[in-house]
Amino acid sequence: FAGDALGGGGGSGGGTIDIATKRMAAQKDDCGFQTEVGNLADVDAALEEWALVMQHTESYERFIRHAVNEVVKARKLRRDKKNEEKNRLKELEEAKSREHGSEMTGTGRKSSEKTSCGDVDGDQEEKVEILPPHTALNEVAAEIGGSYSALERCLLLAGMQRAFVHANYPDDSTFSPVVLDGS
């Protein structure tokens, strides 16, 4: 039993004064929380601040990523429109050449070469990375999240220790009497 480690032993003889003293000593320890991180109110305020910073960071990153996706879509639309315009001009040029009755095979080849060069430029344009998948902002948010998790773990352990202490050294402040009605 957890109380045995503090010298409770389960035997009689110590009385309520011994239990109260042991309980106060166990509560003062509080899983080393006070010595490691300080006052609970200060830690709670810091955790709220960190949670707010992480929420705002996540919102900002979602906004930026959405804006980048819109820019990528706009670039693709502009490139498609440009290629469509080139193709339309090429078809008009070929139609005019057919009307005049002169066959211009050399010019057709040059324009197709230009189109293929334009496609290569489009491929290079697609490879341009506007925003990398992992940024310095992600690293900072991860560090804050790690510290937040560590403090939350410490709070959990301190709460568990308090629960064990209250279970092992009960008094009237932790338990309320239950009355079962026999009727």
Side-chain angles (χ1 to χ4, degrees), residues 79-119:
R79 187 175 48 254
D80 291 346
K81 187 76 170 171
K82 189 177 176 182
N83 287 339
E84 187 179 299
E85 185 67 26
K86 282 182 183 180
N87 289 338
R88 189 179 64 78
L89 288 175
K90 181 181 169 187
E91 289 173 4
L92 282 174
E93 189 177 295
E94 288 175 358
K96 283 182 184 180
S97 67
R98 280 188 222 133
E99 280 180 12
H100 293 297
S102 63
E103 193 67 34
M104 298 165 81
T105 56
T107 309
R109 269 187 251 147
K110 287 181 184 175
S111 63
S112 67
E113 289 171 5
K114 287 179 185 175
T115 306
S116 66
C117 289
D119 292 341

Side-chain angles (χ1 to χ4, degrees), residues 6-82:
L6 294 172
S12 61
T16 51
I17 296 174
D18 191 27
I19 290 175
T21 306
K22 290 177 185 176
R23 181 174 182 204
M24 286 177 58
Q27 279 182 328
K28 283 182 183 176
D29 176 37
D30 203 17
C31 202
F33 183 76
Q34 289 270 339
T35 18
E36 289 297 319
V37 291
N39 187 8
L40 184 61
D42 294 339
V43 172
D44 190 38
L47 287 175
E48 284 182 25
E49 284 282 326
W50 289 358
L52 188 62
V53 165
M54 289 188 298
Q55 287 173 348
H56 284 262
T57 302
E58 181 65 29
S59 295
Y60 177 73
E61 184 172 1
R62 275 195 315 265
F63 168 75
I64 292 297
R65 297 242 178 239
H66 175 73
V68 165
N69 287 338
E70 293 300 311
V71 167
V72 168
K73 287 179 189 176
R75 291 175 75 191
K76 185 179 183 313
L77 271 170
R78 187 178 61 230
R79 187 175 48 254
D80 291 346
K81 187 76 170 171
K82 189 177 176 182

